[in-house]
Amino acid sequence: MNPSLTLPIFLSILLFAGASYAAIIDVLNNCPYTVWAAAVPGGGRRLDQGQTWQINAPSGTTGARVWPRTGCNFDGSGRGNCQTGDCNGLLECPGPGYGVPPNTLAEYALNQFSNLDFFDISLVDGFNVPMEFSPTSNGCTRGIKCTADIVGQCPNELKAPGGCNNPCTVFKTDQYCCNSGPCEPTDYSKFFKQRCPDAYSYPKDDNTSTFTCPTGANYKVVFCP
């Protein structure tokens, strides 16, 4: 074998193997209104009804999330604000940095323990738009949906313009935020859990709210599935 060819071939193999662990996240707006999608990593994009935005998530990505923003106005430079999910007043969300509650979250981490991806829908920052988060490849078929009328049925003390707050956002106590000590479900978290059983309803709601796929899967996030 020609030694001069060995290193480039080896590097190509490594690059190909690494690329196979990246995930494509297709974000679709199926709502009858405009949603300004946000993602860390990814940035942001205006999505009118039926439009799709493709995010290429790097291998090993952790702490990632996609969320819908509503009631937004941005100028030509991408500066403005949103009624829900606002991201530092910017169309393109910089990382680190997350949306202002209330906003429904799709969260994921790629190529983690035992070569698994971990993904979930979280209502820990409240709810603004119905959502589906599902794998689309690699033999993984178990997806998650949260489609209940949470905004319409929101308890009065949790209501917010355009959404429904999680109690941690409103009351800011350990009972709801689980910052220290034991943390159990509350009447408020049960309100969310009864309507979206597969979604996180409070920060320690791991057992029924975290899902996995073998690393290498692609995913879709659908607003108003």
Side-chain angles (χ1 to χ4, degrees), residues 132-199:
E132 175 187 355
F133 189 11
S134 298
T136 59
S137 67
N138 209 28
C140 197
T141 58
R142 175 65 162 96
I144 323 166
K145 287 185 179 181
C146 180
T147 60
D149 182 22
I150 289 179
V151 174
Q153 299 171 4
C154 186
N156 286 334
E157 51 273 37
L158 302 183
K159 286 183 178 179
C164 183
N165 278 314
N166 188 276
C168 174
T169 302
V170 175
F171 302 113
K172 299 179 174 61
T173 62
D174 278 352
Q175 179 185 8
Y176 301 115
C177 300
C178 303
N179 293 325
S180 63
C183 192
E184 301 294 335
T186 66
D187 288 343
Y188 289 123
S189 71
K190 291 174 183 176
F191 163 81
F192 291 103
K193 199 66 176 178
Q194 288 166 359
R195 287 156 180 80
C196 291
D198 291 335

Side-chain angles (χ1 to χ4, degrees), residues 2-86:
N2 185 341
S4 65
L5 297 177
T6 305
L7 183 58
I9 292 172
F10 178 66
L11 289 176
S12 296
I13 293 171
L14 284 180
L15 288 172
F16 178 80
S20 69
Y21 288 114
I24 296 172
I25 315 289
D26 287 316
V27 184
L28 167 65
N29 178 24
N30 199 42
C31 299
Y33 49 85
T34 298
V35 174
W36 287 259
V40 176
R45 184 72 58 88
R46 174 181 171 140
L47 295 177
D48 294 324
Q49 184 178 13
Q51 290 186 323
T52 300
W53 174 36
Q54 188 172 94
I55 300 168
N56 293 302
S59 173
T61 295
T62 61
R65 55 176 61 183
V66 179
W67 71 94
R69 293 173 290 178
T70 61
C72 300
N73 287 287
F74 294 105
D75 61 22
S77 66
R79 295 183 179 275
N81 59 77
C82 298
Q83 184 181 54
T84 64
D86 189 73

